Amino acid sequence: MRFFVIGFGQAGGKILDLFIENEKRFGTHVKMKWLAINTARTDLLGLKHVPIEDRLLIGQTVVKGHGVGTNNKLGAKIAQDEIDHILSEIDKRGTHDLDAFLIIAGLGGGTGSGGAPVLAKYLSEMYSEPVYALGILPAPEEGKLYSLNAARSMISLLKYVDNLILLDNGVWRYGGLSLRESFAKINQEIVRRLAVLARAGEPIEENLVGEMVIDSSEVINTLRGGGITSIGYATSLAESAPKKRSLLSLFKRKKEEKLEALENDKSIKIATLVRRAVLGRLTIQCNIKSAERALILVAGPPEHLDRKGLEKAKLWLEEQISGVEVRAGDYPTRRTKYVAALVILANVTDVPRVKELQRLAAEAKDEIESVEKTKMEKTIELFDEDIEPLV
């Protein structure tokens, strides 16, 4: 997948920064394009791997480079006012050889939460390539205002993106770690998943082609039609392959039996790894039976990949989801000692966290309106009612 990745806001910029670092380490960054957008100058300066020329500061005349706080309505307005500038910067980097746009943003804050839907709207209108968003939902303990921001942003994004991939900070918080350390680990988990997805159909090592190749069109077909997507992921350490030893003809049959047993074992390992990815911690917890489509991508050393295992996993997943479209493929690489399974559950409709978010957002809206009304009434009561206002 040749993505144009746009990190919008603080959270989006940090994830983009980590993603670029990872892709440079694997040598796959040459096929990527990116842009970090923010209203806060300090957030852009804190990035380490996004080139200076790929950092875009917007809203300088309004917020003077200090950010919008948690005001995502202001974030949306600034993005709308500067959309021509943003689109010009995207076009300047080239879009002719892209497979898709990917906007990454935290949905609970201000800049990314407000700006991402605005950008998605214009990208979807101007380009034929699909537009995806990766949205980070705030944890419930972050406050109702963040939930209200996230609900507004999510509803807006769903109107314009071809698919919205969600990650729930509430599920992914790591106990015993500070908030900053926890968010850093969450960002690493996001990048691991993005890295596997980005390599679909893009072999970069000579003479290494998967037995069941997944190309970008199959990813696009899986994510088509809008809706919400959850991603599962699991890894296991690839064990060293047994050394070949010469055996007497007397033991030749025994050797063949052992090799057959080994192949069966490899098949089981792949199928089990895929199940772990689906039944483990998803980016956002959902009822997997409500998924409309699914895609499996297994990556790792070629000697540890197995077509039979993939086919078993595919048949199993077809029985688990409501739809019938399940695609599967592998990505052989010698640049890792691990075997990784990525599972995309597309267009899930039973997502408890989204329902909870809507409830918290409604409560936050009512509380904010009530507080503002009460505050105004108490302020007016401080003055004599016989005094007439000037305006």
Side-chain angles (χ1 to χ4, degrees):
M1 288 291 290
R2 299 187 181 192
F3 285 119
F4 194 126
V5 189
I6 301 151
F8 216 132
Q10 185 185 50
K14 285 183 175 179
I15 294 168
L16 171 61
D17 202 50
L18 196 60
F19 182 54
I20 293 173
E21 179 190 13
N22 185 80
E23 294 307 289
K24 282 182 176 178
R25 192 165 60 244
F26 271 83
T28 52
H29 65 289
V30 291
K31 296 180 180 179
M32 298 288 169
K33 292 181 175 65
W34 49 69
L35 185 66
I37 307 172
N38 213 313
T39 58
R41 183 178 284 105
T42 52
D43 289 343
L44 289 175
L45 290 174
L47 302 176
K48 298 177 181 177
H49 303 281
V50 179
I52 296 292
E53 62 272 19
D54 294 328
R55 306 178 196 184
L56 180 61
L57 182 65
I58 60 173
Q60 294 184 70
T61 57
V62 181
V63 294
K64 318 299 182 187
H66 299 305
V68 299
T70 54
N71 188 344
N72 68 349
K73 286 187 176 180
L74 179 57
K77 185 180 184 306
I78 289 173
Q80 181 69 56
D81 291 343
E82 301 209 23
I83 193 63
D84 289 339
H85 184 201
I86 295 170
L87 292 173
S88 174
E89 289 296 320
I90 289 172
D91 195 53
K92 192 186 296 181
R93 284 155 180 78
T95 57
H96 65 282
D97 58 347
L98 295 178
D99 292 317
F101 292 94
L102 176 65
I103 305 170
I104 306 174
L107 302 188
T111 300
S113 174
V118 174
L119 178 58
K121 177 180 184 293
Y122 283 90
L123 288 177
S124 64
E125 290 174 354
M126 289 188 64
Y127 296 95
S128 59
E129 290 79 13
V131 179
Y132 306 127
L134 171 59
I136 317 302
L137 294 180
E141 56 267 29
E142 291 182 59
K144 289 182 179 179
L145 176 58
Y146 283 81
S147 295
L148 177 57
N149 282 349
R152 284 176 182 155
S153 184
M154 185 171 56
I155 290 169
S156 304
L157 278 168
L158 284 168
K159 288 181 180 179
Y160 303 114
V161 297
D162 291 88
N163 212 287
L164 174 59
I165 303 165
L166 290 179
L167 182 133
D168 182 10
N169 266 350
V171 172
W172 284 87
R173 286 283 296 275
Y174 289 88
L177 297 180
S178 68
L179 199 61
R180 186 174 181 179
E181 290 171 333
S182 185
F183 285 161
K185 285 204 70 172
I186 291 170
N187 290 348
Q188 289 172 354
E189 291 294 336
I190 293 170
V191 167
R192 286 192 185 102
R193 287 152 179 75
L194 286 181
V196 177
L197 181 60
R199 290 177 197 135
E202 293 289 338
I204 57 171
E205 297 172 57
E206 288 186 17
N207 303 319
L208 282 185
V209 180
E211 288 190 56
M212 297 174 68
V213 177
I214 284 280
D215 59 27
S216 58
S217 64
E218 290 179 279
V219 177
I220 290 169
N221 283 330
T222 301
L223 294 175
R224 76 180 187 276
I228 292 170
T229 285
S230 184
I231 295 179
Y233 181 79
T235 62
S236 66
L237 186 65
E239 298 174 5
S240 301
K243 293 181 180 179
K244 293 182 180 179
R245 296 175 182 175
S246 58
L247 296 173
L248 298 173
S249 57
L250 183 64
F251 299 107
K252 189 174 181 181
R253 185 177 176 184
K254 192 173 182 181
K255 180 187 175 183
E256 290 173 351
E257 289 174 354
K258 284 183 178 180
L259 287 172
E260 187 179 347
L262 183 65
E263 288 297 318
N264 290 335
D265 186 51
K266 189 165 61 173
S267 169
I268 292 169
K269 283 180 180 178
I270 294 295
T272 302
L273 192 64
V274 171
R275 289 195 185 205
R276 277 178 48 208
V278 175
L279 302 177
R281 187 160 53 170
L282 301 170
T283 53
I284 186 163
Q285 293 304 124
C286 62
N287 180 358
I288 63 174
K289 292 186 182 298
S290 70
E292 185 180 342
R293 290 182 289 273
L295 181 142
I296 302 166
L297 183 59
V298 178
E303 61 271 18
H304 292 278
L305 302 180
D306 184 78
R307 186 187 184 97
K308 289 181 182 178
L310 263 177
E311 289 172 346
K312 284 181 182 178
K314 183 181 175 184
L315 288 171
W316 173 79
L317 192 53
E318 283 175 355
E319 295 174 355
Q320 306 305 309
I321 69 170
S322 62
V324 295
E325 290 184 51
V326 178
R327 297 170 174 85
D330 54 8
Y331 176 85
T333 175
R334 298 191 185 280
R335 301 185 183 189
T336 178
K337 295 180 180 179
Y338 290 86
V339 179
L342 179 88
V343 179
I344 295 174
L345 299 171
N347 300 355
V348 291
T349 54
D350 188 356
V351 191
R353 180 70 179 93
V354 171
K355 293 177 183 177
E356 182 193 17
L357 190 73
Q358 290 174 330
R359 178 182 61 79
L360 291 172
E363 289 177 6
K365 186 181 178 184
D366 291 341
E367 287 176 15
I368 290 169
E369 290 174 353
S370 176
V371 167
E372 287 177 351
K373 183 179 179 182
T374 304
K375 186 178 179 182
M376 181 60 70
E377 288 172 352
K378 287 183 177 179
T379 302
I380 292 172
E381 286 172 3
L382 293 172
F383 300 92
D384 192 312
E385 60 183 15
D386 293 334
I387 300 174
E388 294 180 4
L390 292 172
V391 180

